[in-house]
Amino acid sequence: MRILYIHSLMFHQRTWRRVVDRLKQDGIDLRLVDQAAAAGVIGAPETGGIDLLVADLAVGMPGFDRLLEAGRSIPHRMGLSHQIPGDFTTFGMDTASEFRQYLSAVGLDAFESLAWVLRQMKMAGYDVGAAPKTGREIRDAIMSRKAVAEFRWTTVDEIVRKGGALHLMDEAEYAPWFNALAEPSRLKVLEDWDAFPGQGMSHKDNGKDVLVITGIRYGNIRIMAQPKRGCYGAKRTGEVCRILHDPALAPPHHWLATYKYIQDHSDAVVHFGADGALEYLPGKQVGLSDACFPEISMGE
């Protein structure tokens, strides 16, 4: 079976290479093409005999109309984008919807995936302490301790009281690291969030301002929810709730303190779940420098 998958965005070649190689074992030939390069693919002699076309096209990208027209010559078609006419897809709506969810990883259980990894690590000899054996137990442990950087349904004091704090970082620990950041980045944080401790996830510990780093620990494993990118306050207004994906907004002190803690206490970092906010921070996405906030967050 030959499948042509056209997407309006660039494919992550390394990830999809594994998918392609695995499907070949089952006799499925999957070819991946981004929309900008696909105009010369459909109808070319070497692509004859395509059994299924999967099209996730965008109107604003080159070749949209021509690809739709040429694609109708392929007997089995599935349009994933809402911009593609409904009659383009030759499958039932339920099948198309399920396929779209499958490709976008909707419905995956991140907690259960994490539990599986912990079980494998324990069998391999890693120290995972008394880590829960199921995803539900991990979730319940996080929620019972309120081990998340949240403020709408709880308070920072309650997080500390219930055991959701991995660490309390004071200014004496944070300031030397923060002051060593590239000057443009450091000044941007101060401009957007003021001086330490900034806004949100701060707590008084013996009279000192500290930032609460949340999570739970089992042996050498720390399970942490990603800190908030830039939303602080109960009201969802422009004054206290900053846009999650704003490319010009620096991450707050609590975000930076959390990732400093991760750098100081981790040999490896594994991200579970959907995409996070790390890749949307100000700075370049390739060829990062020490002034780019993704690089600042994860370190060298």
Side-chain angles (χ1 to χ4, degrees):
M1 182 178 185
R2 302 186 68 187
I3 302 175
L4 177 63
Y5 184 6
I6 303 176
H7 199 286
S8 56
L9 301 175
M10 292 293 292
F11 288 97
H12 192 298
Q13 296 294 338
R14 184 181 301 174
T15 299
W16 280 94
R17 185 75 260 164
R18 293 195 293 266
V19 175
V20 170
D21 292 343
R22 176 62 184 85
L23 290 176
K24 279 185 178 179
Q25 299 176 21
D26 296 328
I28 299 174
D29 181 12
L30 173 63
R31 182 171 183 182
L32 308 169
V33 186
D34 64 83
Q35 183 173 335
V41 173
I42 293 183
E46 65 271 18
T47 61
I50 295 174
D51 300 297
L52 170 63
L53 170 64
V54 180
D56 191 354
L57 308 178
V59 171
M61 295 288 289
F64 179 83
D65 293 328
R66 188 151 66 92
L67 288 171
L68 285 182
E69 182 179 355
R72 291 183 184 276
S73 64
I74 296 174
H76 302 292
R77 306 179 301 273
M78 184 172 294
L80 300 183
S81 168
H82 295 295
Q83 298 171 323
I84 296 176
D87 63 352
F88 179 85
T89 297
T90 58
F91 295 86
M93 293 300 294
D94 290 344
T95 301
S97 177
E98 290 177 5
F99 191 76
R100 187 181 297 113
Q101 290 183 3
Y102 173 77
L103 287 176
S104 59
V106 172
L108 293 184
D109 190 334
F111 287 114
E112 197 56 50
S113 297
L114 174 56
W116 182 88
V117 170
L118 290 175
R119 292 195 298 269
Q120 300 303 308
M121 292 181 69
K122 184 174 183 178
M123 288 190 293
Y126 289 92
D127 179 7
V128 300
K133 296 181 180 179
T134 69
R136 179 180 291 274
E137 290 173 331
I138 294 175
R139 184 194 64 188
D140 290 346
I142 292 173
M143 298 307 292
S144 65
R145 302 182 199 180
K146 298 188 181 295
V148 292
E150 186 50 71
F151 48 81
R152 289 190 176 90
W153 49 267
T154 188
T155 65
V156 179
D157 291 345
E158 187 176 22
I159 291 172
V160 174
R161 187 170 65 253
K162 287 184 173 291
L166 274 174
H167 181 62
L168 303 178
M169 187 175 295
D170 61 19
E171 188 171 10
E173 179 182 359
Y174 176 78
W177 177 84
F178 178 74
N179 291 335
L181 298 181
E183 184 176 10
S185 303
R186 178 168 48 82
L187 294 179
K188 188 70 171 70
V189 175
L190 295 174
E191 176 186 347
D192 290 343
W193 300 105
D194 299 325
F196 181 94
Q199 304 172 42
M201 295 308 297
S202 63
H203 175 70
K204 288 288 187 182
D205 182 46
N206 295 322
K208 294 191 303 182
D209 287 323
V210 296
L211 289 169
V212 179
I213 313 301
T214 59
I216 53 179
R217 178 176 179 176
Y218 299 105
N220 289 333
I221 306 299
R222 293 170 176 82
I223 301 174
M224 305 169 67
Q226 190 172 61
K228 286 190 176 294
R229 156 78 167 87
C231 185
Y232 289 102
K235 296 185 298 181
R236 301 182 69 87
T237 68
E239 295 179 359
V240 294
C241 189
R242 307 294 185 89
I243 299 174
L244 177 63
H245 299 316
D246 185 349
L249 181 70
H253 290 289
H254 177 254
W255 172 287
L256 295 173
T258 298
Y259 275 94
K260 171 184 164 27
Y261 175 84
I262 291 172
Q263 291 179 37
D264 291 344
H265 296 87
S266 304
D267 297 307
V269 178
V270 181
H271 181 97
F272 285 84
D275 62 332
L278 183 69
E279 58 266 40
Y280 299 107
L281 297 179
K284 296 177 290 184
Q285 294 193 349
V286 293
L288 277 66
S289 72
D290 61 359
C292 298
F293 282 103
E295 180 82 2
I296 291 171
S297 299
M298 293 303 299
E300 298 180 355

